[in-house]
């Protein structure tokens, strides 16, 4: 009977091991699946003459490494941070660097039209008309670029709102899985698939914001922001909220239990942090810099024109441009009703005089103050804004490449421990099959011995 019991325990243990191996093979391509294995332990005999009572599966072991998981989650946050802003940066580079849309080209054409008048005939209606046309086209370039800025800002607001909704879903899922894992552990059921699902949810959440994850003795995982606010404690989850963003700055809060906290997304990392950093450090200063250029260029042109005389020779100049900082689509415009004859090129009232026109031509080299750049020349401002944008984009792309490399390495490290190895499982399948067959053979021998013993006794 001892032989029979030993063989039976071996057959049952090999069945459990085969079941774990088959589960691993079935999930060979399952993302986030952690391989399992039956941990076998000998059952000792009750006395010195007893060889033992066979083998038992002491536990179904998961091949996981908490440190490697933490590394993956940190890398996910870095990738999320830099990947979200790169499309916006690339779009701005393309728009602002395109000759058909760039401010530099528009400003150059405006001053070229002025120079053509100065070099030919200041009384030419056709040449004056070209100046007016160039002024309108230059203003339109400012407006088009401002529309791109506003469109990106609206997209950033909408994207952050969507990220908050997705993050709340992941937070609720993690809290629910914590409860289910605790329940499974208390009933002796396998929680491996639940733990895998929780790790996947944490990974998604980590890409949206940087996290601190701590394991608890009961198998749950507590999640908090890098700033310290709790997102998940046991089976209780917090909830993020976004407000504003249409006519006012977007703000964020976190409610947990009965408390509500303001959240500064700029320091959160992940997708939320990346988008906020892009808005505050690149988009808003760039939009303000372009507005500074439009305002000061229009002010200088208008001021210079007001000091001269129109074609009539007796009428003082009037503003050519209207600057509307609050307008979303018409930040800079040619003044309504402004005619080519209204261009005050004369300094002494003589229609053929170009004294004031010469003053206008010097404005391209006039200094102005631009947000993010400091003091620059009118003709150089856009070039320097584009250059600074290029540097920001290049730095972000470099950081993104590094983050993706770290993430890839972290995934490979995780896979080396937790992922299913097809060759290893094939070997296990053969070995456990042999173990099962060998134990069945022992049972057959034990049964024959038992029958022979009964015959001898009979």
């Amino acid at each position: 009977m001892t032989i029979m019991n030993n063989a039976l325990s071996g057959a049952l243990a090999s069945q459990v091991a085969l079941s774990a191996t088959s589960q691993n093979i079935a999930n060979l391509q399952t993302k986030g699946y952690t391989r399992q294995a039956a941990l076998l332990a000998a059952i000792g005999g009750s006395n010195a003459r007893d060889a033992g009572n066979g083998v038992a599966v002491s536990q179904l072991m998961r091949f996981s490494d908490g440190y490697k998981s933490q590394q993956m989650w940190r890398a996910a946050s870095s990738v999320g941070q830099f990947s979200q802003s790169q499309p916006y940066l690339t779009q701005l580079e393309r728009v602002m660097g395109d000759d058909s849309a760039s401010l530099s080209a528009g400003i150059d054409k405006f001053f070229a039209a002025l120079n053509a008048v100065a070099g030919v005939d200041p009384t030419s209606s056709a040449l004056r008309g070209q100046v007016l046309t160039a002024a309108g086209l230059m203003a339109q370039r400012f407006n088009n670029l401002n529309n791109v800025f506003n469109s990106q800002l609206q997209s950033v607001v909408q994207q952050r709102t969507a990220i908050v909704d997705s993050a709340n879903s992941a937070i609720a899922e993690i809290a629910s899985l914590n409860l289910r894992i605790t329940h499974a552990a208390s009933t002796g059921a396998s929680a491996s698939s639940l733990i895998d699902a929780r790790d996947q949810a944490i990974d998604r959440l980590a890409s949206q914001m940087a996290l601190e994850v701590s394991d608890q003795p009961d198998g749950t995982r507590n999640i908090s922001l890098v700033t310290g606010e709790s997102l998940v404690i046991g089976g209780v989850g917090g909830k993020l909220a976004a407000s504003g963003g249409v006519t006012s700055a977007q703000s964020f809060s976190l409610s947990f239990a009965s408390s509500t906290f303001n959240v500064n997304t700029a320091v959160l990392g992940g997708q939320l942090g990346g988008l906020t950093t892009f808005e505050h450090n690149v988009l808003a200063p760039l939009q303000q810099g372009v507005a500074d250029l439009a305002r000061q260029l229009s002010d200088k042109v208008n001021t210079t024109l007001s000091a001269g005389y129109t074609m009539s020779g007796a009428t003082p100049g009037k503003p050519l441009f209207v600057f509307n900082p609050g307008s979303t689509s018409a930040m800079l415009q040619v003044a309504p009703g402004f005619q080519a004859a209204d261009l005050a090129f004369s300094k002494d009232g003589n229609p053929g005089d170009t004294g004031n026109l010469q003053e206008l031509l010097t404005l391209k080299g006039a200094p102005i103050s631009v947000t993010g750049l400091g003091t620059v020349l009118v003709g150089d401002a856009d070039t320097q804004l584009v250059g600074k944008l290029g540097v920001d984009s290049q730095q972000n792309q470099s950081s993104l490449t590094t983050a993706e490399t770290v993430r890839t390495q972290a995934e490979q490290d995780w896979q080396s421990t937790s992922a299913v190895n097809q060759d290893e499982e094939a070997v296990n399948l053969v070995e456990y099959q042999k173990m099962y067959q060998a134990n069945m053979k022992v049972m057959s021998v034990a049964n024959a011995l038992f029958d022979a013993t009964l015959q001898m006794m009979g």
Side-chain angles (χ1 to χ4, degrees):
M1 292 302 296
T2 299
I3 298 174
M4 181 69 75
N5 287 334
N6 288 342
L8 179 59
S9 69
L12 293 175
S14 61
Q15 283 184 330
V16 174
L18 281 169
S19 177
T21 300
S22 67
Q23 175 74 355
N24 291 340
I25 294 173
N27 287 278
L28 183 63
Q29 300 299 327
T30 301
K31 180 178 175 60
Y33 174 79
T34 301
R35 67 189 177 99
Q36 306 171 56
L39 186 61
L40 306 182
I43 304 174
S46 57
N47 55 65
R49 294 180 298 172
D50 195 341
N53 295 324
V55 66
V57 177
S58 61
Q59 64 172 311
L60 195 60
M61 183 172 59
R62 298 177 75 251
F63 288 87
S64 63
D65 186 325
Y67 171 78
K68 291 181 178 180
S69 296
Q70 294 276 5
Q71 289 293 95
M72 274 209 312
W73 298 332
R74 291 191 183 96
S77 176
S78 295
V79 172
Q81 178 179 354
F82 299 114
S83 64
Q84 293 303 298
S85 54
Q86 192 57 48
Y88 294 107
L89 290 165
T90 300
Q91 182 189 45
L92 288 175
E93 279 191 291
R94 290 175 178 172
V95 171
M96 296 186 70
D98 186 354
D99 285 343
S100 65
S102 77
L103 299 182
S104 291
I107 293 172
D108 288 344
K109 289 180 179 180
F110 172 67
F111 282 99
L114 289 174
N115 195 60
V117 176
V120 180
D121 181 7
T123 64
S124 169
S125 298
L127 293 178
R128 283 172 169 263
Q130 289 180 9
V131 171
L132 204 59
T133 299
L137 293 174
M138 180 182 70
Q140 189 58 46
R141 288 178 185 242
F142 277 97
N143 295 332
N144 290 342
L145 185 55
N146 196 48
N147 286 337
V148 172
F149 293 145
N150 289 328
S151 176
Q152 285 202 350
L153 177 59
Q154 186 64 29
S155 178
V156 166
V157 169
Q158 293 173 348
Q159 196 171 355
R160 281 190 304 224
T161 301
I163 290 171
V164 165
D165 292 340
S166 176
N168 284 331
S169 176
I171 290 169
E173 183 180 356
I174 294 167
S176 174
L177 286 167
N178 271 343
L179 290 177
R180 294 172 63 188
I181 289 168
T182 302
H183 177 73
S186 66
T187 58
S190 173
S192 183
S193 61
L194 298 175
I195 296 173
D196 286 345
R198 184 181 62 185
D199 285 354
Q200 287 289 95
I202 293 174
D203 193 60
R204 293 196 304 274
L205 185 61
S207 71
Q208 296 165 337
M209 60 198 74
L211 305 175
E212 294 293 338
V213 183
S214 58
D215 293 327
Q216 303 304 305
D218 61 355
T220 61
R221 275 182 168 154
N222 292 345
I223 315 293
S224 63
L225 297 172
V226 291
T227 49
E229 295 86 353
S230 295
L231 293 175
V232 178
I233 296 180
V236 180
K239 187 172 184 180
L240 292 161
S243 58
V246 178
T247 57
S248 60
Q250 194 174 30
S251 60
F252 301 85
S253 63
L254 170 64
S255 298
F256 191 90
S258 58
S259 301
T260 300
F261 312 92
N262 292 325
V263 176
N264 180 8
T265 55
V267 299
L268 284 190
Q271 296 170 358
L272 274 178
L275 288 171
T276 302
T277 299
F278 166 73
E279 178 191 348
H280 292 173
N281 295 352
V282 179
L283 183 58
L286 187 58
Q287 184 172 25
Q288 185 58 53
V290 169
D292 291 341
L293 175 57
R295 174 179 58 81
Q296 293 177 73
L297 175 59
S298 63
D299 285 348
K300 288 182 179 298
V301 170
N302 290 342
T303 299
T304 303
L305 287 173
S306 67
Y309 295 91
T310 64
M311 278 280 288
S312 67
T315 305
K318 58 183 181 180
L320 170 61
F321 295 109
V322 177
F323 177 67
N324 300 303
S327 174
T328 57
S329 59
M331 178 177 66
L332 186 65
Q333 289 181 300
V334 172
F338 196 98
Q339 302 295 320
D342 296 329
L343 289 167
F345 290 155
S346 174
K347 194 138 183 105
D348 59 8
N350 183 350
D353 177 57
T354 61
N356 209 44
L357 176 56
Q358 298 299 326
E359 295 289 336
L360 286 171
L361 288 172
T362 65
L363 295 181
K364 189 176 182 182
I368 57 175
S369 179
V370 177
T371 298
L373 298 179
T375 301
V376 295
L377 303 182
V378 169
D380 296 336
D382 178 62
T383 301
Q384 293 194 33
L385 285 172
V386 174
K388 187 176 185 301
L389 172 63
V391 171
D392 291 336
S393 178
Q394 186 175 15
Q395 289 177 342
N396 188 83
Q397 183 61 62
S398 177
S399 297
L400 175 58
T401 300
T402 301
E404 288 175 337
T405 301
V406 173
R407 170 67 180 189
T408 300
Q409 185 61 53
E411 289 179 342
Q412 291 173 350
D413 289 344
W414 180 88
Q415 290 170 356
S416 67
T417 298
S418 301
V420 177
N421 184 302
Q422 186 173 1
D423 294 336
E424 181 180 343
E425 297 305 327
V427 172
N428 289 340
L429 189 65
V430 173
E431 291 300 320
Y432 289 130
Q433 180 186 17
K434 290 180 179 179
M435 176 181 171
Y436 178 80
Q437 292 172 340
N439 279 284
M440 293 301 293
K441 182 65 175 178
V442 171
M443 291 176 66
S444 177
V445 171
N447 188 57
L449 291 173
F450 186 69
D451 288 344
T453 303
L454 289 178
Q455 291 177 5
M456 290 174 60
M457 293 177 65

